């Protein structure tokens, strides 16, 4: 009897730190673009956003998300990444270190 593998949300969050937003040079986690990571046996669900609905690099960033998650998870894990726009992204969602990068914590 086999049991379904439950992915680790923190490991996924850590892997997503490898995905950079090339326009600002920071990773998508510290930018506050990752809204939710849910892990269940055999499934990963991620809600994320972009800094703007008109982001010209959204497809590239989503491809990069796939490229870091696919090798770390067994092929039987269903990965679903959904772009959401509510709530809208604001700089307040950024990690303090990311805001420091722009001088916004002063």
């Amino acid at each position: 009897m086999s049991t379904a593998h439950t992915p680790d949300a923190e490991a996924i969050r850590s892997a997503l730190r490898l995905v950079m937003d090339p326009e600002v040079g920071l990773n998508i986690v510290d930018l506050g673009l990752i809204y939710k990571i849910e892990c269940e046996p055999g499934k990963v669900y991620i809600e994320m956003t972009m800094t703007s609905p008109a982001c010209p690099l959204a497809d590239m960033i989503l491809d990069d998300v796939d490229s870091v998650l696919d090798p770390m998870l067994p092929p039987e894990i269903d990965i679903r990444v959904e772009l959401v726009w509510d709530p809208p992204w604001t700089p307040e969602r950024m990690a303090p270190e990311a805001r420091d990068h722009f001088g916004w914590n002063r």
Side-chain angles (χ1 to χ4, degrees):
M1 180 170 114
S2 68
T3 59
H5 174 73
T6 302
D8 178 81
E10 283 310 308
I12 290 169
R13 184 176 308 282
S14 180
L16 291 174
R17 283 193 165 88
L18 299 172
V19 178
M20 303 299 282
D21 181 319
E23 289 185 306
V24 295
L26 293 172
N27 74 72
I28 62 174
V29 173
D30 291 345
L31 275 176
L33 301 182
I34 302 299
Y35 284 3
K36 181 189 293 185
I37 300 172
E38 291 180 352
C39 297
E40 298 177 13
K43 298 181 185 177
V44 172
Y45 173 72
I46 298 170
E47 280 185 5
M48 64 177 292
T49 195
M50 298 291 153
T51 56
S52 158
C55 178
L57 300 172
D59 288 340
M60 185 180 96
I61 292 170
L62 290 170
D63 287 345
D64 289 349
V65 167
D66 288 341
S67 74
V68 300
L69 294 181
D70 285 346
M72 75 173 285
L73 296 169
E76 65 271 10
I77 300 290
D78 179 37
I79 304 168
R80 187 168 142 225
V81 179
E82 184 175 354
L83 271 182
V84 298
W85 306 108
D86 187 34
W89 179 87
T90 65
E92 288 77 30
R93 296 193 65 87
M94 297 169 71
E97 301 80 18
R99 287 193 304 272
D100 283 345
H101 175 81
F102 293 104
W104 293 346
N105 273 339
R106 312 222 185 279

